[in-house]
Amino acid sequence: MMLIGLGGFFGAITRFYLGKYLAHPYPWATFFINSTGSFALGLLFALQPSDMIWQLIGIGFLGAYTTFSTFSFECLQLMEQKKEKQAMMYICTTVIVGIICATLGFLVG
């Protein structure tokens, strides 16, 4: 439990600062964070780490680093701004690129 909390602490801070650094009207920051998090989780899974490393990095850090709730909220914001086409593109590219990144991470590992 402590390892998950510790990893989550650093994952959330990393996401927060990356989000500020990559701030843009289009949600590129969340797209980047979720894509790199998918790659890292695929890589970590392929490396078959110990339970402690999995809890620290896989569940804790990457669980807090990636964000489905922010992704969902940004989609809602795009739709409220009458940018339905951008919202659909964002949804499709995030899901497809996320799966591709996880697969690449797994293959690299």
Side-chain angles (χ1 to χ4, degrees), residues 3-106:
L3 292 172
I4 295 170
L6 181 65
F9 174 78
F10 287 107
I13 290 173
T14 303
R15 175 164 53 95
F16 174 77
Y17 283 110
L18 264 177
K20 283 189 153 299
Y21 181 74
L22 299 173
H24 188 272
Y26 189 79
W28 289 115
T30 304
F31 179 80
F32 175 80
I33 288 165
N34 284 338
S35 298
T36 55
S38 295
F39 177 86
L41 195 58
L43 176 66
L44 186 65
F45 180 74
L47 296 174
Q48 299 181 348
S50 68
D51 285 345
M52 290 178 58
I53 297 297
W54 181 256
Q55 290 173 5
L56 177 68
I57 299 173
I59 299 172
F61 183 86
L62 292 172
Y65 175 73
T66 58
T67 174
F68 187 77
S69 59
T70 301
F71 163 69
S72 300
F73 181 68
E74 290 169 343
C75 290
L76 178 63
Q77 286 180 316
L78 287 171
M79 287 189 273
E80 283 189 346
Q81 296 168 5
K82 306 294 182 200
K83 297 178 179 176
E84 292 88 0
K85 193 173 181 179
Q86 283 185 350
M88 290 307 298
M89 189 68 125
Y90 182 43
I91 292 167
C92 292
T93 55
T94 295
V95 172
I96 292 169
V97 170
I99 292 169
I100 290 170
C101 286
T103 303
L104 288 175
F106 181 77

